Amino acid sequence: GREVVLYFGDAAYYKGYDLFLQFISENPLTCGVHPGRSYDDQQKSYFAYDVDQLRARLLQEGRLYETNTYVHTQSLKELFFNAIRVYITFHRLALSSSTVIQAAEFGKPVLVPDRGLLAYRARWYSIGRVYKYGDLAQLRIISEELWSDDLSEFTDHVRHFWLRFSDAAISRFFSSKLIN
């Protein structure tokens, strides 16, 4: 009965792993799923929140599931992305994110920080919404608005965005470069 928040990939400072855990912790109607490898001591030293304490509490509450391993198959990616309705990123480095493209592959709108390429793509292609960078209170408000919506306004935009990254589009790109 909780809204699933997906953190996809390795636990890292630049991807906001600690922000993900804090967000789940502050929002009892959510649970977190983290398919990917855990953090090391170097990453842990960068985090703004005590990830060990957050993880322990969320695991005890049954509100966090982590695989602690690299996701290497398409079927597993599909399984995890199909568990969510909106893909939220917690990125501190917002230049790009392959997970936003993966979310689009599975037809999921995004909610991303209001900076960098992530925000540009969300706004320009109308594939989701943005929240003020690092503002977990605003993230909560906007995510709850999205979760209470039917999200159909994003369907065609997300599909169109994904076509830019499909196997056929990549093949056309490389074919045109090799031929010319």
Side-chain angles (χ1 to χ4, degrees):
R2 291 184 168 101
E3 199 66 53
V4 178
V5 179
L6 177 65
Y7 178 97
F8 193 83
D10 295 347
Y13 174 79
Y14 83 93
K15 289 174 68 175
Y17 176 74
D18 57 328
L19 298 173
F20 159 74
L21 292 177
Q22 184 66 27
F23 180 78
I24 300 301
S25 176
E26 291 176 1
N27 296 284
L29 298 179
T30 65
C31 61
V33 173
H34 171 214
R37 293 180 287 224
S38 193
Y39 50 90
D40 58 21
D41 287 338
Q42 182 176 6
Q43 288 299 311
K44 184 179 171 182
S45 72
Y46 301 144
F47 294 139
Y49 295 97
D50 184 341
V51 291
D52 290 337
Q53 180 184 29
L54 289 167
R55 282 183 73 242
R57 193 176 86 234
L58 291 169
L59 287 166
Q60 182 181 26
E61 293 173 0
R63 295 198 306 126
L64 179 63
Y65 173 76
E66 296 187 291
T67 65
N68 294 308
T69 186
Y70 179 78
V71 176
H72 59 279
T73 67
Q74 183 70 8
S75 60
L76 282 176
K77 282 195 288 187
E78 186 174 354
L79 173 72
F80 290 118
F81 276 96
N82 283 331
I84 61 170
R85 295 187 308 129
V86 175
Y87 181 62
I88 300 172
T89 73
F90 300 86
H91 281 72
R92 288 183 168 99
L93 177 62
L95 298 176
S96 184
S97 171
S98 61
T99 54
V100 167
I101 296 168
Q102 290 169 325
E105 177 182 5
F106 299 109
K108 305 302 176 180
V110 298
L111 179 52
V112 300
D114 64 349
R115 54 181 12 189
L117 185 58
L118 296 179
Y120 172 81
R121 284 180 167 167
R123 289 176 174 137
W124 179 259
Y125 294 102
S126 300
I127 61 170
R129 299 278 184 263
V130 299
Y131 65 94
K132 185 177 177 190
Y133 169 79
D135 188 338
L136 297 181
Q138 187 185 60
L139 174 58
R140 178 183 187 162
I141 292 167
I142 297 172
S143 62
E144 287 176 353
E145 289 171 358
L146 286 169
W147 289 327
S148 66
D149 194 5
D150 70 2
L151 305 174
S152 62
E153 71 179 278
F154 301 108
T155 303
D156 290 337
H157 298 288
V158 169
R159 187 179 311 116
H160 183 261
F161 175 74
W162 161 244
L163 290 176
R164 301 170 51 85
F165 301 95
S166 68
D167 290 344
I170 292 169
S171 178
R172 281 191 306 274
F173 170 80
F174 281 112
S175 293
S176 72
K177 294 302 177 192
L178 292 171
I179 292 170
N180 294 332

